[in-house]
Amino acid sequence: MPEQVESSSKLNVSSEIKPPSYDLTKFRLKRILNNNSKCKSITLLGTFPDLSETDAAIVVFEKNAYRESDVATEVSANKESESEPKPSYFTTDLQVRTDFINNIYASFQCVPTQQLCAVKGTVIYPATDKHIEKYSICQKYIINETPDLYKSVTLPYISSSQFSLDWVYNILEHKQETDRIVFEDTHPENGFILLPDLKWDGRNVENLYLLGIVRKRDIKSLRDLNASHLPLLRNLRQSAKQAILQRYGLNPTQLRMYFHYQPSFYHLHVHINPIRNDAPGIWCEKSHMLDTVINNLELVPDYYLRASMPFVLYEGNKLLDLYDEQLEVRTISTQQANEADDVGPEEAPEAFTDEEPEEARQCKRIKLSTPERDSNEAELVVTPCA
Ligand code: M7G
């Protein structure tokens, strides 16, 4: 039986690493990498001059999701006994400015109490060129990766150029985030660690986001899975569901458990979040449900060695250049760029403005970069910015 631990107090904490301290107020902005009005997040590139004038830093600010308890208007019986009253929108601290009132419709700008205005901040420092690429996503392309393309193009690329897995090993070796571990199974073959993803603000079970990181270090991604990994995958599915039910009270049938292909980090991990929340990265072109993966391997033991798997590449990623050499995936966009050179001033595409909603800007991007399709064109799908 694997040894199972459900709280950090039972864990052996060894050689903790002292985290660096950042002074966010000293951040100096160089460039906005991404401004996503749908996710209410902004991604900034700059430096922390007090740490280094040259090392790049990425700072992401994201507005927090609403907690249902924050809109309560009555104090419930058990809350009365709490010493600290919970913050609420509906208090005298709420500042309200009326935009307009028209018939039965009204629009306001509201500033709630300070505690409810917090913004989640994420820092990557020092950020590599690859991080900057990843966070300045713009134009995307779908590649249908055959097993041969995986071996000849993708695998050599990911072997030579991938994000460091140090943060994963720090978690597995109990050097970082130990106090955040929700559940651990230490079995060498089938074990894993379940803990909150960096993306989760930790405030709200509505947008819970956990990662199940497998203990084995030789499984880079879905591509490496075969039927011999079924006990690991089944254990991951069963034990994670049980631990989440116990810790967060979420029904296992309300959970989405999936892998990304391609992942950013090539050490097998499963993403877990509630289905009623649209977590980032759940698109069909990137996610593979754990249930489906298990079923595919039950039916065909070497399914992922033989399958063609679509995945997304974005402008700025060097793997896109390698695929472009083989498959000319950018051909349509290149033609369009050439045509754009011939466009007169009256026909020039409209510029983006800050006032426009992101959806409108995305539509313009699609319009700008998707010319008439030729039936002979390569299989290419252009999607809007993330
Ligand atoms: P992925 O599918 O490899 O990449 O997932 P992507 O989803 O970013 O495309 C890796 C997951 O690990 C992401 O959901 C990240 O938010 C999460 N993550 C990344 N880092 C560096 C950390 C970390 O240091 N700690 C934790 N807890 N999660 C992380």
Side-chain angles (χ1 to χ4, degrees):
M1 275 293 284
E3 184 199 337
Q4 295 186 341
V5 192
E6 288 185 50
S7 89
S8 55
S9 57
K10 293 185 194 164
L11 295 170
N12 242 344
V13 180
S14 62
S15 55
E16 288 266 351
I17 297 172
K18 196 171 176 297
S21 59
Y22 305 109
D23 184 351
L24 281 178
T25 61
K26 302 250 169 70
F27 179 73
R28 192 181 298 153
L29 176 69
K30 270 189 160 167
R31 186 153 46 99
I32 295 176
L33 298 179
N34 204 342
N35 182 359
N36 189 327
S37 62
K38 211 166 173 189
C39 299
K40 310 268 185 299
S41 67
I42 190 154
T43 307
L44 312 170
L45 176 66
T47 53
F48 286 109
D50 53 329
L51 298 179
S52 155
E53 285 289 344
T54 50
D55 283 348
I58 293 175
V59 173
V60 185
F61 285 131
E62 185 185 358
K63 301 229 169 144
N64 284 323
Y66 290 93
R67 277 189 302 213
E68 294 182 7
S69 60
D70 294 342
V71 292
T73 54
E74 281 172 29
V75 183
S76 70
N78 55 0
K79 279 184 191 150
E80 269 168 4
S81 58
E82 288 174 17
S83 49
E84 283 281 309
K86 289 230 162 151
S88 168
Y89 281 85
F90 299 102
T91 64
T92 48
D93 290 337
L94 184 69
Q95 296 172 33
V96 181
R97 200 193 70 207
T98 306
D99 288 336
F100 68 87
I101 300 178
N102 181 354
N103 191 255
I104 60 169
Y105 305 100
S107 166
F108 303 98
Q109 291 296 321
C110 305
V111 182
T113 174
Q114 209 185 351
Q115 288 148 293
L116 296 175
C117 292
V119 169
K120 181 180 183 331
T122 305
V123 174
I124 300 173
Y125 176 85
T128 63
D129 287 349
K130 210 163 145 54
H131 287 110
I132 299 170
E133 254 173 38
K134 175 175 156 80
Y135 281 85
S136 23
I137 296 174
C138 199
Q139 207 58 267
K140 298 178 181 177
Y141 305 86
I142 283 186
I143 309 292
N144 200 13
E145 183 196 68
T146 61
D148 284 348
L149 283 170
Y150 174 71
K151 278 187 215 119
S152 62
V153 185
T154 311
L155 184 58
Y157 172 76
I158 60 178
S159 306
S160 68
S161 161
Q162 60 164 310
F163 285 126
S164 160
L165 295 175
D166 287 351
W167 69 272
V168 175
Y169 300 146
N170 284 342
I171 290 171
L172 292 175
E173 291 164 16
H174 297 164
K175 289 181 179 165
Q176 288 287 12
E177 303 192 50
T178 313
D179 55 348
R180 285 158 48 84
I181 292 176
V182 173
F183 175 84
E184 177 165 13
D185 177 339
T186 57
H187 190 281
E189 290 296 311
N190 303 333
F192 69 97
I193 284 183
L194 182 70
L195 85 172
D197 190 286
L198 177 70
K199 293 190 191 107
W200 190 36
D201 60 18
R203 289 163 25 105
N204 199 342
V205 177
E206 283 295 298
N207 60 357
L208 176 81
Y209 197 139
L210 300 181
L211 275 186
I213 303 177
V214 305
R215 192 155 280 285
K216 272 174 78 69
R217 298 190 179 199
D218 59 351
I219 314 174
K220 288 185 287 305
S221 72
L222 270 189
R223 269 284 178 215
D224 289 338
L225 288 175
N226 58 53
S228 75
H229 299 115
L230 280 170
L232 163 64
L233 298 174
R234 291 189 188 118
N235 180 41
L236 187 54
R237 176 169 65 180
Q238 178 59 24
S239 304
K241 281 181 176 177
Q242 216 174 326
I244 292 170
L245 177 64
Q246 268 173 19
R247 171 71 72 99
Y248 302 102
L250 281 176
N251 187 333
T253 55
Q254 293 182 308
L255 296 176
R256 180 194 289 120
M257 304 178 83
Y258 55 98
F259 297 102
H260 277 159
Y261 196 76
Q262 301 282 339
S264 298
F265 298 97
Y266 288 88
H267 175 109
L268 194 74
H269 54 273
V270 69
H271 300 250
I272 308 173
N273 39 62
I275 39 175
R276 60 191 263 197
N277 175 43
D278 290 346
I282 56 168
W283 326 294
C284 61
E285 69 268 25
K286 180 152 180 169
S287 293
H288 297 249
M289 299 287 282
L290 175 59
D291 282 333
T292 310
V293 171
I294 290 175
N295 191 238
N296 287 340
L297 292 173
E298 283 167 348
L299 295 172
V300 183
D302 57 352
Y303 182 92
Y304 290 98
L305 284 177
R306 290 165 50 194
S308 285
M309 291 204 282
F311 73 89
V312 173
L313 278 174
Y314 45 86
E315 205 56 73
N317 186 323
K318 294 195 180 69
L319 186 55
L320 176 62
D321 297 336
L322 299 176
Y323 268 103
D324 203 27
E325 282 167 20
Q326 300 254 340
L327 306 176
E328 300 190 340
V329 290
R330 284 202 196 92
T331 304
I332 295 175
S333 298
T334 313
Q335 275 179 359
Q336 184 276 330
N338 294 340
E339 283 163 17
D341 286 346
D342 301 333
V343 171
E346 312 78 34
E347 298 158 66
E350 306 151 65
F352 302 136
T353 69
D354 271 357
E355 284 69 41
E356 282 176 289
E358 178 63 15
E359 290 75 6
R361 285 187 267 157
Q362 287 178 354
C363 289
K364 277 190 189 168
R365 287 191 189 110
I366 296 168
K367 211 167 81 188
L368 289 176
S369 47
T370 315
E372 293 301 305
R373 282 204 63 161
D374 179 323
S375 55
N376 296 324
E377 297 285 13
E379 272 185 38
L380 166 66
V381 180
V382 183
T383 61
C385 296

